[in-house]
Amino acid sequence: MKKKGGSKISILLLCGLLLLSCTGCGKGKEEIYAGASLLSGREVRMPEASDKYRTFYEIFVYSFYDSNGDGIGDLAGVTEKLDYLNDGDSATDSDLGISGIWLMPIMPSNTYHKYDVKDYMAIDPVYGSMEDFEKLVEECGKRDINLIIDLVMNHTSSAHPWFQEACSYLKSIGDGEASAEECPYVEYYNFHKGMKWGYSQVADTDWYYEANFWSEMPDLNLYSEKVRAEFEEICKFWLEKGVAGFRLDAVKEFVSEDTEANVEILTWFNDMVKGINPDTYLVGEAWTNQPEYAKYYASGMDSVFDFVFAGDTGLIYKLASGLYQAEQYGGYVEKAESLYASYNENYVNAPFYNNHDLDRAAGYYKGEEALDQAKIAAALNLTMSGNAFVYYGDEIGMLGSGIDENKRLGMRWTTDQAGQGMCKGPQAAEAVTQVYGSLEEQQADLTSMYCYYKNLIRLRNQFPSITKGKSTHLAEASDKELCVLQKTYGEETVCLFYNISGQPKTVDLSGVTLADGTVLKGKMLEASVVAGEERVAVEKDSLTIPGYSVVVLLVTE
């Protein structure tokens, strides 16, 4: 776009129940329908292997798919369901279109969640074997899926041999002084004589060790060169196995309440890992406020989870539920992108709406508009730039809240709890009624949450500007119910119109001016778009958008 005036635009609609698109209605061009949805015929492109911009799917293996009938999910089960996530054929539309998988911890552990690691270079037997993992990586590669694994560096299990050796040594010296020369493992943890806050006692001694999460999760001393050398070998091991990167757990607790120290540790880690393989993708969990976690980008790490948008206290929920005005969304997105870029111009944002520590997102909304609100919330997440993360089961609107186990229930493949692949889920979980039904039911309903998610991800795979674009809030065109956001990547620009209300909104496109002064004009629209029982009405310069809808305009010369 080099001159002012009316730009030619194509239009796609993502509305409450539906994703629709048209390539020239009324002009004899091919139209691709999915039920009531009119999908874009534009090519779906999966990222190249080194491309760090993807749509990730978080899997709790324990609760995903059981391949051997013991009621517990396993790695072979993940491999078996890869075609559900991505069948490797961009010409098909029967898969979700996922291009990245994050596996929650898979290493040996004493707990069901496995965030207390006993051996960093092995697979927990309940999940299968190393051969099962290697097979999974191989099959992911065939489908252009990048697989990352959870790496828990803040602490180990109290059953880890490092900790066991250290405690045995401390018990053996009585009142003597500890020596790292006599027992190197006492340097691996933060031991102290006498009680301190956040410390637990080594039985039958006056020694205490830092364990901020739980007594069975002793914190590691990540300043120790010996510990750092261990993790270098651990990373080499997994990268040689073919993993594309690591999700780093609890990075703000490496040194609690010391962001500067944590950034230093992550800088070492980033440099070390990228020295092994420059294409390695790193994403960190720093569950704190936005100004603080933004600082972690200074480490050179690719991504930090964008917590300010997530959960039932986050910006997406507040927008979808009407607690915040629509126009605030564009401002928040633009501000976030500028903030993160100020610490690292090569950052890749990691927007997410839900994860294994949060109540299931579909349960945030009540009443007749609950489903539509849950869907517009998903759209707000999945149209953000960066690596959008989807928690398994969110694509079918699974519910679960309260204790952690409820948030990690077995994936609802079918209504029959004894059906093929169904997992029992964590033992302490409570019964939760899944009001939106199983995947099996939703696949037969083209207006379901599942089909909505699938179409959203398809949209991300068709338009690089949605995944990689820089956002500009068109504030003059926005109001309390409508947000207008421009996103540009390379030669491609899209405009996103978010109607975050239950009522139709009419937009005068002649009053919408892009960042370069280009004016959108309705008379240049090449498509008419239908959404369910309501239509997107286009008349001269007027565009009417149904409630809880997102209209995406592709701007061309």
Side-chain angles (χ1 to χ4, degrees), residues 346-405:
N346 297 315
Y347 86 98
V348 179
N349 193 19
F352 75 105
Y353 183 39
N354 188 27
N355 70 12
H356 59 279
D357 287 323
L358 299 171
D359 290 346
R360 286 283 187 174
Y364 298 165
Y365 309 98
K366 309 297 180 185
E368 294 181 357
E369 297 183 328
L371 181 59
D372 287 350
Q373 289 176 321
K375 288 181 175 180
I376 193 67
L380 290 168
N381 178 46
L382 285 166
T383 55
M384 288 182 69
S385 295
N387 285 328
F389 281 76
V390 176
Y391 185 39
Y392 84 95
D394 276 2
E395 76 274 22
I396 59 171
M398 280 183 61
L399 303 179
S401 60
I403 60 175
D404 283 347
E405 289 84 350

Side-chain angles (χ1 to χ4, degrees), residues 165-182:
E165 288 283 343
C167 290
S168 294
Y169 169 73
L170 292 175
K171 291 177 182 180
S172 72
I173 63 174
D175 294 331
E177 292 300 317
S179 168
E181 292 184 1
E182 293 178 353

Side-chain angles (χ1 to χ4, degrees), residues 40 53 90 117 151 186-187 279 338 343 351 379 389 496 501 548:
S40 173
Y53 285 85
S90 61
V117 177
L151 185 60
V186 295
E187 184 183 310
D279 293 330
S338 296
Y343 289 99
F389 281 76
L496 297 97
S501 76
Y548 296 119

Side-chain angles (χ1 to χ4, degrees), residues 316-474:
I316 288 177
Y317 166 73
K318 291 176 180 177
L319 288 155
S321 62
L323 296 176
Y324 278 10
Q325 295 184 356
E327 59 192 340
Q328 293 177 271
Y329 176 70
Y332 287 131
V333 168
E334 191 174 32
K335 173 188 171 184
E337 291 181 6
S338 296
L339 177 62
Y340 307 149
S342 71
Y343 289 99
N344 179 358
E345 63 179 5
N346 297 315
Y347 86 98
V348 179
N349 193 19
F352 75 105
Y353 183 39
N354 188 27
N355 70 12
H356 59 279
D357 287 323
L358 299 171
D359 290 346
R360 286 283 187 174
Y364 298 165
Y365 309 98
K366 309 297 180 185
E368 294 181 357
E369 297 183 328
L371 181 59
D372 287 350
Q373 289 176 321
K375 288 181 175 180
I376 193 67
L380 290 168
N381 178 46
L382 285 166
T383 55
M384 288 182 69
S385 295
N387 285 328
F389 281 76
V390 176
Y391 185 39
Y392 84 95
D394 276 2
E395 76 274 22
I396 59 171
M398 280 183 61
L399 303 179
S401 60
I403 60 175
D404 283 347
E405 289 84 350
N406 291 0
K407 305 164 188 175
R408 305 164 189 176
L409 299 172
M411 175 70 176
R412 299 293 294 176
W413 300 104
T414 177
T415 54
D416 181 4
Q417 186 58 49
Q420 184 174 356
M422 293 289 285
C423 300
K424 294 181 294 186
Q427 291 183 1
E430 301 162 348
V432 177
T433 300
Q434 300 298 332
V435 298
Y436 295 121
S438 67
L439 174 68
E440 183 179 45
E441 293 171 296
Q442 294 194 32
Q443 284 177 320
D445 177 4
L446 294 176
T447 64
S448 66
M449 178 76 88
Y450 163 73
C451 289
Y452 179 75
Y453 260 86
K454 184 172 68 172
N455 292 336
L456 263 177
I457 295 168
R458 181 185 178 91
L459 186 69
R460 287 179 62 82
N461 291 337
Q462 289 174 320
F463 293 90
S465 51
I466 291 180
T467 305
K468 301 181 179 182
K470 181 178 180 180
S471 302
T472 302
H473 179 212
L474 305 184

Side-chain angles (χ1 to χ4, degrees), residues 477-498:
S478 302
D479 59 32
K480 66 180 182 178
E481 296 174 335
L482 180 75
C483 175
V484 185
L485 197 64
Q486 174 185 335
K487 298 183 75 171
T488 300
Y489 176 73
E491 297 298 316
E492 182 179 279
T493 294
V494 294
C495 255
L496 297 97
F497 292 73
Y498 300 87

